[in-house]
Amino acid sequence: KIKVGTPDKDSFAPIFKLGLKKVPTVKNPDELTEKAMELVFDAKLGIFDIKTSTGNVINFGFKDIINGAMITAMVTNAVSLAIDRDLKNKTTKPSGVTVVDVQDAIMKMYHQNSKMNHEAFLEDIAYELEQNNEKVVEILPFKAGKKSAVIV
């Protein structure tokens, strides 16, 4: 079995930028990419808090479930929002993707995916913890507005 991990910040950026390559943007694509990374990797976009046998609390969040296809879809959805806005405003020239478009696309994807079954991801975390003589004690729904002690 070959495990392909989820993208980290270093691998997120090139995937996101590639999606923006031929897309009109209001801001510099690097700036949009940075804003997207800040949001995707923010601990506030949690899904579960995982309590361990050593008393640690691991924040399992959106950053832990993303993949390359989801990153590409974030850009595609942001572009769709920009196009919809232009059609609504009857503009003849594309106004370009904005930071708000990117944020809205990411938040929509977060809300869609946070309610899905994440059993395989949780099994991977349990296995990794066991390798360090630690166990999952409890898995709780993430409570917005608080930060976990440990971020995986």
Side-chain angles (χ1 to χ4, degrees):
K1 182 176 175 181
I2 298 172
K3 181 176 164 106
V4 177
T6 57
D8 59 11
K9 288 182 179 181
D10 290 335
S11 54
F12 178 95
I15 298 168
F16 197 87
K17 280 184 199 175
L18 183 63
L20 289 174
K21 194 170 186 167
K22 295 182 180 180
V23 173
T25 59
V26 171
K27 294 195 177 246
N28 179 314
D30 290 339
E31 210 174 315
L32 288 178
T33 301
E34 186 61 36
K35 294 291 185 188
M37 275 194 316
E38 286 174 17
L39 184 56
V40 168
F41 289 91
D42 190 327
K44 293 176 187 164
L45 292 189
I47 298 172
F48 297 114
D49 281 330
I50 303 169
K51 292 186 178 183
T52 70
S53 56
T54 60
N56 287 329
V57 178
I58 300 169
N59 169 261
F60 175 83
F62 190 49
K63 68 190 180 318
D64 299 305
I65 64 169
I66 61 168
N67 58 48
M70 289 172 72
I71 296 169
T72 301
M74 289 172 197
V75 175
T76 302
N77 291 340
V79 170
S80 292
L81 291 171
I83 291 170
D84 288 347
R85 182 181 56 253
D86 289 345
L87 290 172
K88 181 181 174 188
N89 295 334
K90 298 180 181 172
T91 57
T92 55
K93 182 181 175 199
S95 61
V97 174
T98 66
V99 171
V100 172
D101 295 329
V102 170
Q103 291 171 336
D104 288 350
I106 290 170
M107 290 308 295
K108 181 180 178 184
M109 187 172 288
Y110 164 70
H111 289 296
Q112 289 171 337
N113 285 276
S114 64
K115 305 293 184 227
M116 295 179 78
N117 182 339
H118 302 292
E119 190 173 329
F121 291 107
L122 296 172
E123 286 174 359
D124 286 346
I125 289 172
Y127 177 78
E128 290 173 23
L129 288 171
E130 286 174 11
Q131 301 311 302
N132 295 312
N133 296 318
E134 200 170 358
K135 294 185 181 208
V136 172
V137 174
E138 190 173 18
I139 300 172
L140 301 167
F142 177 77
K143 292 194 176 159
K146 70 178 185 77
K147 272 194 166 178
S148 298
V150 178
I151 300 172
V152 172

